[in-house]
Amino acid sequence: MSEQHYEENGPNLRDGTARESSPFINRAEFDRGNVYEGKNMALFEEEMDSNPMVSSLLNKLANYTNLTQGVVEHEADEDSKRKEVKGPQMGTFIGVYLPCLQNILGVILFLRLTWIVGTAGVLQSFIIVFICCACTMLTAISMSAIATNGVVPAGGSYYMISRSLGPEFGGAVGLCFYLGTTFAGAMYILGTIEILLTYISPSAAIFKVEDVGEETEAMLNNMRVYGTCIIILMAVVVFVGVKYVNKLALVFLACVILSIIAIYAGAIKTAFDPPDFPICLLGNRTLSKRSFDVCAKFTESNNKTKTTPLWRLFCDSSLLNATCDDYFSLNNVTEIQGIPGIMSGVLTDNLWSAYSEKGSIVEKKDQPSVAGSEESKMGGLPYVFTDIMTYFTMLVGIYFPSVTGIMAGSNRSGDLKDAQKSIPTGTILAISTTSFIYLSCIVLFGACIEGVILRDKFGEAVNGNLVVGTLAWPSPWVIVIGSFFSTCGAGLQSLTGAPRLLQAIARDGIVPFIQIFGHGKANGEPTWALLLTAGICEIGILIASLDSVAPILSMFFLMCYMFVNLACAVQTLLRTPNWRPRFKYYHWTLSFLGMSLCLALMFICSWYYALIAMLIAGCIYKYIEYRGAEKEWGDGIRGLSLNAARYALLRVEDGPPHTKNWRPQLLVLLNLDNEQLVKHPRLLSFTSQLKAGKGLTIVGSVLQGIYLDKCTETQKAEENVKALMGVEKTKGFCQIVVSPSFRDGISYLIQSAGLGGMKHNTVLMAWPQSWKQTENRFSWKNFVDTVRETTAAQQALLVAKNIDLFPTNQERFTEGNIDVWWIVHDGGMLMLLPFLLRQHKVWRKCKMRIFTVAQMDDNSIQMKKDLQMFLYHLRLNAQVEVVEMFENDISAFTYEKTLMMEQRSQMLKQMQLSKNEREREAQLIHDRNTASHSAPAVEASVAAAVPEKVQMTWTKEKFVAEKHKNKDSNVSGFKDIFNMKPEWGNLNQSNVRRMHTAVKLNGVVLNKSQHAQLVLLNMPGPPKNRKGDENYMEFLEVLTEGLDRVLLVRGSGREVITIYS
């Protein structure tokens, strides 16, 4: 079923999920009266809204028809009075075999095959033809498998490739096939003109040859002028009467078949009565008989010796004592039969190749010759010269277009009675027939025709006759007229087919810039596409040389065939459930061999043309990928990706990676508003800056409620998040979870996001700015619980404060610093993050500075040296500064801050605790008090002391000494101040110490980093006693006060950066 049908009918949204439409699945407009007759199926009434009864399905299947694009539309429009369109009636012979035969046999057979045989020899010509025919046969086998795997609408190879390999490959290869077909049209037109001006009416040439050596240039100019006129004429014919072009197809085919019969008849006749085509040789050099008629130096008449026109061509006068060309004087003129016949044994002479340089003389092997001393004036003499340099690979490129055309049957699939039977049979039979014709013609040409005639591309040695025509019976004109009409017809067919192919691609909408070519006349005729085709065809005409145009279209056709083989191989290897071709005689090895052969032939023909064709296809592929091909065709590449992903996931160890491979695999927690829009889009900007498209990114969010009720909202939220990810260029996956409580939803995401070894190791979230507001009472609880859960899951946590002030992806910092405050070492995350950020354009010009804090008894100079050495081994460039933070008395400001915090905490508790929550809280306090009596008393002081003090290298002795020292000093520092205000004495001393750390550290950070572009700071852990959660938020608020952009970092507890290679 075509995608166009899907787009017109729209998706089925019964349960909020878009489905691909089908002619067999009933939609809402289905006649429900028919469905619900009787109550036998009452149980399935709900299903019948969208799914048909089996009887309805079978009825639709039986009546399903598929009309072709283009010509059928045109004819249906013209015959619109008819009430019903007849179903397709073509059989294998008329529908596939003959169209393929007509497209395969053509201009190269008549104009170049004799020359290829003469130049490459019978053996190498046999190899060339065999390779090319093998390539098309293997492609036909692959194509047959694809074409019989379901209904193939009109569109031929483009449809097959795009539905098998996806829109990117489909668009790229479809356009290549279109260009190939268009250049084929140019080649046929050039062949038509060559036959007209060389063999039918040489006097019709506009540009005449004035000087010696200008023959080629004059011919090319004639080609350009006549070609432009013919292309305009043909375009008008196609525009006005495409119906008649198709009616004339059989006439053109009859011309081809008659011509081939004439060749075989002539070859048989040479066995007992060879035709009289004498050729003139001077020594071993072939002479062009366009300038003279008598093959002799002089003639005897009435006992007088007269010089001939040939004498006057080589000598400066007609006198017998004239000065003549040295080679002419030394060698005799001889006349031999150009077509000695099949029994003459000339085959042995023509077995081997005779490649030559451009401009060399066509010479007969084994003919006596005396070399002359003067070779300078050869250009003006009547020799037969080669017009291009010849070699094996070039001949392959020129010959290959003569085996193209195998897609003609599949292009007509909509007109066939039984396409799944006709396409394989007709195509393979046509290739077998044409391969036999080509191979037998090679042998016949080599066995019947003299080698110098075969190498004479334009038949100059046989009075300007078409070389293959000299062999034909009853007359050379049978071939000349037949080939003229066949090339004319093939050109018209190309100009008819190519615009329709472009129209099919344009209507699929996968290549946005060619969508205009999908439009046309009211009856569907592709007017704009025809104009573009004629324009591209004109490029081929301006090249003007048949031998130069042939390799160009060879590239495009070979690329198309290569991807047909690839499509079959991929589908076969993947064993997708839908891959069930009726054609059984295929195998992935054959497809792979065909693909390899196509690729090899591309580079054999012309490596630079091959690279250009691949570049064009690659650019189209990337363009479609970049613009986003919004098509889902169940293609093989998607299946291949899924298989590869499954294989890779199974290979990835389900455990933490090695430190060298560690990078933040992010779970980004987004908040959505009531409209399901993202509250902080800058969080995704920061994600893309941090990740730069590498590693895993999962963007998650939670909707509160029950999934059955929130189904539509979930879909909308996912669409909004994905749209924003596209805008912010965040490459990753989106996961929306519906949960009765926001808190549980976050927990589900942290636990279950990811798959196998591809799980997140870092959580990124925004700081809850409104945590102090009464209407948002629980946001801080959710936040603190998220911090605890990431720690429990051994995941790192990044909290971006003032996220709306962070830069977008379009901004660029031209200067400034990224400041890292390294208070505690928790795996090296603080070192790694600035390095990753500076890979992105936004932060690239920022400098990295690392600050660490020294206490009274630390050697700050040694600390700085140690830190510099550490960074040197980490291969990180950063300025290092050690900030000395002396211990002093706790300020009145700190006490006031703590007092305000505790009062606010009490007020919050009274406001938000219901009766049940009070009971739960009381039980919690009781449990914790019981636990705290059994726990060592040292732990509380350690928790308070850790943020205050940092050692570069911790030992057990230092750790214990540090704990007791801080405990004693803190106690002695507090007792004198308690006398200042009576209410201060009632404060929780742990809170006072924490607030003291936060205030002091904030002052130090503000002093050094107030103007930094970004500050990265160790995030202290939440208190073990949950009663102090709201106080924890206050500590963090005080710690980061006055800073614009802050990233609080809490490591996962494992090393993420190493000094080792």
Side-chain angles (χ1 to χ4, degrees):
M1 189 61 193
S2 70
E3 301 308 312
Q4 187 183 348
H5 190 127
Y6 171 66
E7 286 166 5
E8 286 169 4
N9 290 295
N12 182 0
L13 295 171
R14 177 176 67 103
D15 54 359
T17 308
R19 286 189 185 172
E20 184 165 348
S21 189
S22 158
F24 316 129
I25 302 295
N26 296 318
R27 291 172 296 280
E29 64 268 21
F30 187 87
D31 186 3
R32 298 190 184 188
N34 294 335
V35 176
Y36 298 140
E37 282 181 10
K39 299 295 177 188
N40 292 340
M41 292 293 151
L43 182 62
F44 295 95
E45 280 181 9
E46 292 292 326
E47 295 296 316
M48 286 176 193
D49 283 346
S50 60
N51 298 334
M53 288 173 67
V54 173
S55 56
S56 311
L57 171 67
L58 294 175
N59 184 41
K60 285 207 168 198
L61 276 167
N63 296 324
Y64 177 60
T65 60
N66 192 2
L67 299 177
T68 54
Q69 297 166 347
V71 181
V72 175
E73 291 170 8
H74 182 80
E75 290 178 359
D77 186 72
E78 289 192 354
D79 303 327
S80 56
K81 291 179 183 177
R82 287 182 298 178
K83 296 291 180 186
E84 53 188 44
V85 180
K86 289 182 182 177
Q89 295 299 319
M90 284 189 186
T92 304
F93 188 73
I94 297 290
V96 182
Y97 181 74
L98 290 181
C100 284
L101 215 62
Q102 182 188 355
N103 277 264
I104 295 170
L105 299 170
V107 63
I108 301 292
L109 171 65
F110 302 120
L111 294 183
R112 293 290 181 270
L113 192 58
T114 51
W115 172 71
I116 289 171
V117 173
T119 307
V122 172
L123 291 178
Q124 288 191 24
S125 300
F126 209 86
I127 292 168
I128 290 171
V129 174
F130 181 78
I131 290 171
C132 294
C133 290
C135 176
T136 53
M137 180 61 85
L138 290 168
T139 305
I141 291 169
S142 299
M143 186 193 76
S144 299
I146 297 170
T148 58
N149 186 49
V151 180
V152 178
S157 58
Y158 161 68
Y159 185 92
M160 288 189 289
I161 294 167
S162 61
R163 270 52 173 186
S164 296
L165 293 179
E168 294 91 353
F169 276 112
V173 180
L175 284 175
C176 282
F177 190 52
Y178 162 73
L179 290 171
T181 311
T182 307
F183 275 107
M187 184 187 75
Y188 292 131
I189 291 167
L190 290 172
T192 305
I193 304 160
E194 187 176 308
I195 293 166
L196 176 72
L197 295 181
T198 311
Y199 308 115
I200 296 176
S201 177
S203 58
I206 296 169
F207 295 89
K208 306 292 184 185
V209 180
E210 294 177 1
D211 296 324
V212 175
E214 290 186 356
E215 296 91 342
T216 308
E217 190 59 39
M219 184 66 178
L220 294 179
N221 287 330
N222 284 320
M223 290 270 202
R224 291 179 183 117
V225 173
Y226 275 96
T228 306
C229 297
I230 289 178
I231 200 121
I232 293 167
L233 183 67
M234 283 187 171
V236 170
V237 169
V238 171
F239 179 75
V240 173
V242 70
K243 183 177 179 181
Y244 306 105
V245 173
N246 287 278
K247 300 277 187 199
L248 287 168
L250 279 175
V251 177
F252 298 137
L253 179 60
C255 292
V256 176
I257 292 170
L258 282 172
S259 302
I260 290 167
I261 291 169
I263 292 170
Y264 281 112
I268 293 165
K269 184 174 172 288
T270 61
F272 50 87
D273 183 18
D276 184 32
F277 277 102
I279 53 171
C280 195
L281 299 176
L282 175 63
N284 67 348
R285 296 176 179 178
T286 313
L287 297 175
S288 170
K289 292 184 86 171
R290 289 180 188 270
S291 312
F292 63 92
D293 50 358
V294 179
C295 182
K297 291 185 180 181
F298 34 77
T299 56
E300 295 286 338
S301 177
N302 300 327
N303 293 323
K304 287 184 179 180
T305 304
K306 289 184 179 179
T307 56
T308 59
L310 180 62
W311 177 280
R312 288 190 283 278
L313 290 169
F314 282 92
C315 303
D316 56 5
S317 76
S318 58
L319 302 172
L320 287 169
N321 60 354
T323 307
C324 295
D325 178 75
D326 197 24
Y327 188 84
F328 182 76
S329 304
L330 293 171
N331 290 278
N332 294 324
V333 175
T334 53
E335 196 170 55
I336 62 170
Q337 275 301 323
I339 302 179
I342 202 164
M343 307 300 288
S344 63
V346 75
L347 179 64
T348 53
D349 296 333
N350 292 332
L351 279 177
W352 314 111
S353 61
Y355 299 117
S356 57
E357 297 289 326
K358 181 180 179 180
S360 57
I361 300 168
V362 176
E363 297 177 342
K364 179 172 167 53
K365 301 169 193 171
D366 306 324
Q367 186 76 7
S369 169
V370 180
S373 58
E374 184 62 48
E375 300 286 339
S376 59
K377 295 181 182 177
M378 274 203 311
L381 301 176
Y383 295 124
V384 177
F385 295 99
T386 55
D387 63 335
I388 54 173
M389 187 172 81
T390 51
Y391 43 92
F392 179 82
T393 56
M394 188 208 72
L395 296 181
V396 176
I398 291 173
Y399 173 75
F400 189 80
S402 66
V403 295
T404 60
I406 61 171
M407 300 289 186
S410 64
N411 288 348
R412 288 169 171 76
S413 56
D415 295 329
L416 301 172
K417 197 184 295 179
D418 184 0
Q420 301 197 354
K421 178 185 173 188
S422 297
I423 289 175
T425 313
T427 307
I428 290 170
L429 271 177
I431 292 173
S432 304
T433 307
T434 52
S435 300
F436 171 76
I437 290 170
Y438 284 130
L439 292 169
S440 60
C441 279
I442 287 171
V443 177
L444 290 175
F445 293 159
C448 297
I449 305 174
E450 185 60 58
V452 287
I453 298 286
L454 290 173
R455 290 193 291 282
D456 180 6
K457 189 188 284 186
F458 302 109
E460 292 176 39
V462 283
N463 301 319
N465 277 303
L466 183 60
V467 174
V468 70
T470 60
L471 182 63
W473 179 86
S475 164
W477 286 100
V478 176
I479 298 284
V480 172
I481 301 299
S483 60
F484 177 77
F485 280 114
S486 79
T487 49
C488 257
L492 277 171
Q493 291 279 1
S494 294
L495 280 180
T496 308
R500 278 171 180 71
L501 181 60
L502 183 63
Q503 188 182 41
I505 300 168
R507 283 182 172 175
D508 261 344
I510 57 172
V511 188
F513 70 85
I514 64 163
Q515 282 187 349
I516 187 173
F517 299 111
H519 308 301
K521 291 197 286 187
N523 58 5
E525 279 300 294
T527 315
W528 292 107
L530 178 62
L531 285 173
L532 180 70
T533 303
I536 296 170
C537 223
E538 179 62 21
I539 296 170
I541 298 295
L542 292 175
I543 293 170
S545 168
L546 186 72
D547 302 318
S548 300
V549 173
I552 296 174
L553 66 106
S554 292
M555 288 306 124
F556 291 124
F557 278 123
L558 277 166
M559 184 168 287
C560 178
Y561 296 167
M562 180 173 77
F563 281 105
V564 169
N565 284 302
L566 174 65
C568 182
V570 165
Q571 298 277 31
T572 310
L573 287 170
L574 286 178
R575 296 192 186 93
T576 47
N578 191 50
W579 180 246
R580 303 185 299 275
R582 286 193 178 279
F583 180 77
K584 299 297 180 189
Y585 307 102
Y586 69 93
H587 195 266
W588 70 266
T589 51
L590 292 176
S591 300
F592 191 77
L593 182 62
M595 186 180 74
S596 308
L597 201 53
C598 289
L599 188 63
L601 278 172
M602 283 177 73
F603 283 93
I604 284 171
C605 293
S606 171
W607 64 268
Y608 46 89
Y609 276 159
L611 292 176
I612 292 167
M614 286 178 161
L615 183 66
I616 291 169
C619 289
I620 298 166
Y621 179 95
K622 293 309 289 182
Y623 174 76
I624 296 170
E625 190 180 57
Y626 171 71
R627 288 301 302 264
E630 295 174 6
K631 301 283 176 187
E632 176 50 66
W633 289 328
D635 52 85
I637 292 296
R638 184 170 173 80
L640 194 63
S641 303
L642 287 170
N643 260 22
R646 183 187 67 86
Y647 177 75
L649 277 172
L650 291 172
R651 294 270 309 203
V652 171
E653 297 172 16
D654 191 5
H658 191 274
T659 306
K660 285 186 279 189
N661 298 328
W662 196 94
R663 66 165 61 242
Q665 316 285 15
L666 290 181
L667 168 63
V668 185
L669 298 177
L670 293 179
N671 283 331
L672 304 177
D673 60 17
N674 294 332
E675 299 295 317
Q676 315 309 332
L677 296 171
V678 178
K679 281 186 183 176
H680 302 295
R682 298 284 177 94
L683 199 60
L684 285 180
S685 306
F686 183 69
T687 303
S688 60
Q689 292 158 24
L690 186 62
K691 299 291 290 178
K694 304 290 191 299
L696 175 72
T697 304
I698 302 170
V699 179
S701 189
V702 177
L703 296 182
Q704 202 163 342
I706 297 168
Y707 183 66
L708 287 175
D709 302 334
K710 294 277 186 180
C711 209
T712 315
E713 289 174 37
T714 306
Q715 197 173 5
K716 184 182 174 186
E718 193 166 335
E719 285 170 6
N720 292 341
V721 172
K722 282 182 177 176
L724 186 63
M725 287 171 72
V727 171
E728 298 294 348
K729 297 179 181 172
T730 307
K731 295 184 188 298
F733 308 99
C734 175
Q735 193 167 347
I736 306 293
V737 170
V738 180
S739 168
S741 77
F742 188 81
R743 159 82 187 74
D744 290 343
I746 296 280
S747 179
Y748 299 156
L749 279 172
I750 290 172
Q751 291 176 63
S752 62
L755 181 64
M758 285 293 280
K759 287 184 73 71
H760 62 278
N761 54 30
T762 306
V763 177
L764 171 62
M765 61 191 297
W767 172 262
Q769 298 286 6
S770 56
W771 70 272
K772 291 185 179 179
Q773 294 175 12
T774 50
E775 66 270 15
N776 197 17
R777 299 190 302 269
F778 294 100
S779 71
W780 57 268
K781 276 197 170 184
N782 294 333
F783 176 80
V784 178
D785 283 341
T786 304
V787 176
R788 286 196 173 99
E789 286 195 346
T790 54
T791 307
Q794 295 183 323
Q795 294 169 6
L797 177 66
L798 309 177
V799 179
K801 195 160 184 281
N802 303 326
I803 185 63
D804 296 325
L805 298 177
F806 276 60
T808 62
N809 288 328
Q810 285 70 44
E811 291 179 48
R812 301 284 183 272
F813 288 133
T814 53
E815 56 181 1
N817 299 312
I818 299 176
D819 286 358
V820 177
W821 284 84
W822 194 20
I823 312 300
V824 290
H825 180 64
D826 54 0
M829 275 278 282
L830 282 167
M831 308 293 174
L832 190 60
L833 292 174
F835 170 76
L836 294 174
L837 277 176
R838 289 180 68 236
Q839 308 299 308
H840 197 272
K841 293 174 186 173
V842 175
W843 305 92
R844 191 163 289 159
K845 294 189 177 176
C846 292
K847 292 177 182 173
M848 181 175 162
R849 297 194 301 181
I850 295 185
F851 297 89
T852 191
V853 177
Q855 299 291 327
M856 276 290 287
D857 54 347
D858 287 325
N859 183 341
S860 56
I861 297 169
Q862 188 59 42
M863 275 180 73
K864 186 171 183 177
K865 284 182 182 176
D866 290 346
L867 186 51
Q868 283 172 335
M869 182 57 68
F870 183 53
L871 290 176
Y872 174 77
H873 286 310
L874 288 176
R875 290 92 63 204
L876 295 174
N877 294 321
Q879 294 178 10
V880 174
E881 195 167 333
V882 177
V883 178
E884 294 184 346
M885 199 162 109
F886 302 115
E887 291 188 10
N888 53 11
D889 294 342
I890 297 171
S891 65
F893 172 76
T894 303
Y895 280 112
E896 284 297 337
K897 270 273 187 189
T898 313
L899 183 62
M900 284 169 61
M901 178 183 76
E902 291 200 354
Q903 286 172 350
R904 186 176 172 283
S905 173
Q906 289 300 323
M907 186 179 69
L908 274 176
K909 280 180 185 173
Q910 288 168 8
M911 285 172 60
Q912 70 194 28
L913 289 181
S914 65
K915 183 181 177 186
N916 291 338
E917 285 173 326
R918 283 198 197 102
E919 289 171 2
R920 204 179 307 130
E921 190 74 5
Q923 184 62 41
L924 206 62
I925 291 165
H926 178 266
D927 292 345
R928 294 217 179 117
N929 286 340
T930 310
S932 64
H933 287 306
S934 59
V938 189
E939 281 182 16
S941 61
V942 174
V946 167
E948 186 116 9
K949 184 71 184 173
V950 172
Q951 288 287 344
M952 290 300 295
T953 310
W954 289 92
T955 61
K956 189 177 178 183
E957 291 76 23
K958 277 189 179 180
F959 194 68
V960 174
E962 194 67 26
K963 284 192 291 189
H964 290 294
K965 182 184 73 176
N966 281 340
K967 186 178 174 185
D968 297 337
S969 64
N970 283 337
V971 170
S972 62
F974 295 148
K975 62 187 177 189
D976 297 330
I977 305 171
F978 287 156
N979 303 320
M980 294 177 68
K981 273 198 179 181
E983 59 266 34
W984 290 357
N986 300 325
L987 294 175
N988 183 320
Q989 296 312 308
S990 172
N991 287 342
V992 173
R993 289 197 304 276
R994 288 168 185 268
M995 184 63 79
H996 175 61
T997 304
V999 170
K1000 275 195 74 178
L1001 196 53
N1002 176 254
V1004 173
V1005 173
L1006 272 178
N1007 183 36
K1008 296 286 185 182
S1009 302
Q1010 191 163 12
H1011 302 294
Q1013 302 291 11
L1014 179 65
V1015 176
L1016 283 84
L1017 194 64
N1018 275 120
M1019 181 178 180
K1024 291 180 180 172
N1025 183 353
R1026 294 195 176 207
K1027 277 174 65 179
D1029 282 0
E1030 64 273 23
N1031 299 339
Y1032 171 68
M1033 298 296 287
E1034 194 73 56
F1035 294 142
L1036 292 181
E1037 196 75 70
V1038 170
L1039 181 63
T1040 55
E1041 205 169 359
L1043 297 169
D1044 286 342
R1045 300 182 197 91
V1046 183
L1047 188 66
L1048 293 168
V1049 180
R1050 184 160 173 75
S1052 60
R1054 57 160 294 167
E1055 291 292 334
V1056 300
I1057 194 165
T1058 177
I1059 63 173
Y1060 300 107
S1061 62

